[in-house]
Amino acid sequence: MAHAYTVPGDISKAGDGKSLLEHIVADVKALLAAKNCGPILIRLSWHDAGVFSNGSLKGGCPNAVMRFTDSGEGTFEANAGLTDVAIGLLKPIADKYVTAGVISNADLWALAANVAIEFMGGPHVVTRFGRPDAKDSGESVESQVGRLPDGDKGVSHLREVFAPKGFDDRDIVALSGGHTVGGCKQQRSGFDGLWTEAPLVFDNSYFTDLLEKTYRPETVEATGCPQHRSDKGTIMLISDLALLEDAAFKSVVEEYAADQSRFFADFVSAWTRLQENGVGDLLRDELAPPT
């Protein structure tokens, strides 16, 4: 049975031959150009999908449940800044397309992140569609603990969190490379600083920085959170430097520092699986309006 939706008025009148998907992508690109918000849109998709687990903890999927802030994922400390800033940035686009029944919020969040990655110089990521939106906060997972990684923990913690999502050591390093953009704000995460000197450029500088810069331990005065800072002012968290402490992780770091194309290829593979965990059977290539 075909899905019913309403074509937004300005698009129906445009007559430019663009598909609805092309219009959504264009609107996301305009937002990125105006607000330089690529990193937080990536984080929104990552935290929406990243709660999935198939180990001792079960369930979780990208369902845009952070829209609800009465309880559940919308109240998780790890999601500070997402429920107001990130979702707020996307609100005009959601009002235009989600309200019309063209796309779900969950699909929009995934698409916006993928557009942001490429907009900032990263690889093209194919988005598949069909993620259903949560109807209320009751569709949240029970806690962020054990599902989302902590920046102040090391090697064993990374494997404990990522392995139940289906990720191996190479995947963990590739996904960590998302820290090549953006940074930390102490009022959100407790940490403070940018990971690289070009926080709006998606490249392999995260890995070259890990190998080439010297980082000294410090504590964020306002929050007490431990981190490390370079002479250039950029930071790495304990979970970042853990990639140098383990031989299996470090060999992949060295590979990505030397070959950006290899990093991009592996990142796309791991990132796509992250975005599709728990909903893969529902997805299809064409734009899938919500049911």
Side-chain angles (χ1 to χ4, degrees), residues 28 38-53 60-64 90 103-118 123-132 148 162 165-167 171 175 202 266-284:
V28 172
I40 199 170
L41 297 186
I42 295 171
R43 180 170 164 246
L44 178 65
S45 176
W46 154 224
H47 282 221
D48 187 37
V51 294
F52 171 86
S53 182
C61 67
N63 61 1
L90 285 174
I103 190 173
S104 69
N105 285 284
D107 279 346
L108 176 60
W109 294 5
L111 176 65
N114 295 343
V115 173
I117 289 166
E118 189 170 13
H124 176 70
V125 183
V126 174
T127 307
R128 296 201 298 157
F129 302 94
R131 297 165 185 79
L148 296 173
F162 282 98
K165 305 181 194 303
F167 297 122
D171 296 326
L175 289 171
F202 197 105
D266 288 352
F267 178 84
V268 169
S269 173
W271 177 254
T272 301
R273 282 178 281 135
L274 176 77
Q275 286 192 319
E276 297 187 357
N277 266 343
V279 293
D281 292 344
L282 304 175
L283 304 184
R284 57 183 186 268

Side-chain angles (χ1 to χ4, degrees), residues 138-199:
E139 296 184 51
S140 296
V141 297
E142 72 294 334
S143 170
Q144 69 188 50
V145 177
R147 293 179 180 272
L148 296 173
D150 298 324
D152 61 354
K153 294 185 173 63
V155 173
S156 60
H157 173 72
L158 289 174
R159 290 190 173 116
E160 288 166 2
V161 168
F162 282 98
K165 305 181 194 303
F167 297 122
D168 60 19
D169 287 352
R170 177 172 286 269
D171 296 326
I172 293 171
V173 179
L175 289 171
S176 297
H179 286 173
T180 197
V181 295
C184 300
K185 295 182 182 295
Q186 64 183 42
Q187 66 268 35
R188 297 176 186 170
S189 66
F191 304 107
D192 186 54
L194 303 174
W195 277 289
T196 68
E197 295 173 55

